[in-house]
């Protein structure tokens, strides 16, 4: 466990030095703050627009950071040959992957916390705070957990460009996953095609589950048990991603 924590701490330090991190964080905070001005341009409930825009910004920019920083961290170790030193020491390869993953999650937690505080202060300033916002923000971080696992998985066997494309593809597919179920209903007369479509429906992560913006914006009730299910789902899916990533990384030849 100590070896994993050492890798995680080194990962955090390396991520902090990455300029892309600060660039994306700057744009995220800028977009959150400008939501106050943008809300003035639309007809309707100003507070709803601020909440929707703010939560969307936190979700999207956090995912970008998870993908681009996550992919870069592992690729740099391989490209600079430092991974050879790591695996030559009494260090198992799964220590390396899990340490990288946990280090990135901690980095993302810090970024998520900063963006959440800025967003919450704006909502408090406008007098629109409600406790369900905490659930929505937590759901966004749970989405980070899965996307980070996706980024780490792809970075174990392909190039950064392809890893970025695949990870972003998973992100967008995950948010439109319900369309697979609707598509499957149109193939009721073709059970094989319907089975294939439903396979992909269950194979890809259902990231739309973590989108609680609608409940916040429209004032719907968020059941705490629903959030508990999301926690279990995120942890289970990310563990599966890590196991596959570790299996692939174990088979790679670095000699």
């Amino acid at each position: 466990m100590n070896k994993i924590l050492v890798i995680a701490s080194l990962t955090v330090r390396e991520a902090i030095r990455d300029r892309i991190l600060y660039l994306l964080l700057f744009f995220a905070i800028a977009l959150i703050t400008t939501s106050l001005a943008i809300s003035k341009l639309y007809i309707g409930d100003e507070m709803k627009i601020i909440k929707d825009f703010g939560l969307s910004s936190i979700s999207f920019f956090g995912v970008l950071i998870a993908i681009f920083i996550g992919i870069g961290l592992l690729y740099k170790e391989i490209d600079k040959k430092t991974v050879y030193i790591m695996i030559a020491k009494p260090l198992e390869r799964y220590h390396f992957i899990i340490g990288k993953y946990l280090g990135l999650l901690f980095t993302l937690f810090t970024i998520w916390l900063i963006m959440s505080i800025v967003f919450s202060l704006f909502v408090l300033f406008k007098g629109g705070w409600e406790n369900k916002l905490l659930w929505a923000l937590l759901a966004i971080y749970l989405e980070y957990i899965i996307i980070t696992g996706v980024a780490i998985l792809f970075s174990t066997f392909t190039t950064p460009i392809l890893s970025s494309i695949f990870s972003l593809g998973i992100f967008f597919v995950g948010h439109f996953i319900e369309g697979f179920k609707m598509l499957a209903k149109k193939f009721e007369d073709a059970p094989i095609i319907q089975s294939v479509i439903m396979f992909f429906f269950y194979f890809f992560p259902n990231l739309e589950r973590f989108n609680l913006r609608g409940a916040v914006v429209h004032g719907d009730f968020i059941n705490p048990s629903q959030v508990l299910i999301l926690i279990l789902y995120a942890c289970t899916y990310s563990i599966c991603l890590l196991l596959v990533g570790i299996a692939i990384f174990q088979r790679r030849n670095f000699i």
Side-chain angles (χ1 to χ4, degrees), residues 27-124:
F27 277 112
I29 294 177
L31 202 57
I32 292 171
T33 53
T34 53
S35 66
L36 190 63
I38 292 175
S39 64
K40 304 283 187 182
L41 304 177
Y42 292 89
I43 299 174
D45 193 332
E46 180 182 351
M47 198 66 249
K48 288 183 178 180
I49 296 172
I50 292 175
K51 290 177 181 178
D52 189 27
F53 206 80
L55 291 172
S56 299
S57 301
I58 295 173
S59 174
F60 183 68
F61 280 97
V63 165
L64 288 183
I65 292 171
I67 292 175
F68 291 115
I69 303 298
I71 290 170
L73 287 176
L74 191 57
Y75 177 76
K76 287 176 184 176
E77 298 284 3
I78 298 173
D79 186 53
K80 294 179 180 179
K81 313 299 182 183
T82 53
V83 68
Y84 298 86
I85 301 174
M86 291 287 188
I87 62 178
K89 293 181 178 180
L91 183 74
E92 298 292 339
R93 294 194 181 191
Y94 73 87
H95 290 152
F96 187 74
I97 295 296
I98 295 175
K100 286 289 182 182
Y101 178 73
L102 293 180
L104 184 55
L105 280 188
F106 181 80
T107 304
L108 283 168
F109 176 79
T110 305
I111 295 168
W112 168 82
L113 189 61
I114 293 172
M115 292 190 293
S116 297
I117 290 174
V118 172
F119 169 69
S120 299
L121 288 175
F122 267 88
V123 175
L124 280 171

Side-chain angles (χ1 to χ4, degrees), residues 17-244:
R17 293 195 295 266
D18 201 313
R19 294 180 181 179
I20 297 178
L21 173 67
Y22 297 102
L23 182 63
L24 290 173
L25 181 59
F26 169 77
F27 277 112
I29 294 177
L31 202 57
I32 292 171
T33 53
T34 53
S35 66
L36 190 63
I38 292 175
S39 64
K40 304 283 187 182
L41 304 177
Y42 292 89
I43 299 174
D45 193 332
E46 180 182 351
M47 198 66 249
K48 288 183 178 180
I49 296 172
I50 292 175
K51 290 177 181 178
D52 189 27
F53 206 80
L55 291 172
S56 299
S57 301
I58 295 173
S59 174
F60 183 68
F61 280 97
V63 165
L64 288 183
I65 292 171
I67 292 175
F68 291 115
I69 303 298
I71 290 170
L73 287 176
L74 191 57
Y75 177 76
K76 287 176 184 176
E77 298 284 3
I78 298 173
D79 186 53
K80 294 179 180 179
K81 313 299 182 183
T82 53
V83 68
Y84 298 86
I85 301 174
M86 291 287 188
I87 62 178
K89 293 181 178 180
L91 183 74
E92 298 292 339
R93 294 194 181 191
Y94 73 87
H95 290 152
F96 187 74
I97 295 296
I98 295 175
K100 286 289 182 182
Y101 178 73
L102 293 180
L104 184 55
L105 280 188
F106 181 80
T107 304
L108 283 168
F109 176 79
T110 305
I111 295 168
W112 168 82
L113 189 61
I114 293 172
M115 292 190 293
S116 297
I117 290 174
V118 172
F119 169 69
S120 299
L121 288 175
F122 267 88
V123 175
L124 280 171
F125 174 75
K126 296 295 293 183
W129 175 261
E130 50 187 341
N131 292 334
K132 68 174 66 177
L133 280 171
L134 292 175
W135 297 125
L137 290 169
L138 175 59
I140 289 174
Y141 183 73
L142 293 175
E143 183 180 37
Y144 293 173
I145 291 176
I146 294 179
I147 291 298
T148 302
V150 170
I152 292 292
L153 169 60
F154 284 125
S155 64
T156 59
F157 65 89
T158 188
T159 63
I161 294 177
L162 288 177
S163 296
S164 301
I165 293 173
F166 292 152
S167 298
L168 284 172
I170 294 292
F171 171 71
F172 287 113
V173 169
H175 277 283
F176 292 97
I177 198 71
E178 292 297 330
F180 283 71
K181 186 181 290 186
M182 297 173 61
L183 181 63
K185 292 181 179 179
K186 297 183 178 180
F187 289 93
E188 293 180 350
D189 296 332
I192 296 178
I193 297 177
Q194 188 179 50
S195 298
V196 171
I197 294 173
M198 290 306 297
F199 168 78
F200 285 110
F201 173 78
Y202 290 109
F203 178 78
F204 287 107
N206 191 341
L207 299 179
E208 191 60 23
R209 289 174 177 263
F210 300 90
N211 183 6
L212 301 182
R213 293 193 306 274
V216 170
V217 171
H218 300 294
D220 298 333
F221 174 71
I222 298 178
N223 195 325
S225 62
Q226 177 186 355
V227 180
L228 179 60
I229 292 173
L230 292 179
I231 294 174
L232 294 174
Y233 182 87
C235 292
T236 302
Y237 203 97
S238 59
I239 289 173
C240 292
L241 291 170
L242 282 178
L243 290 175
V244 175

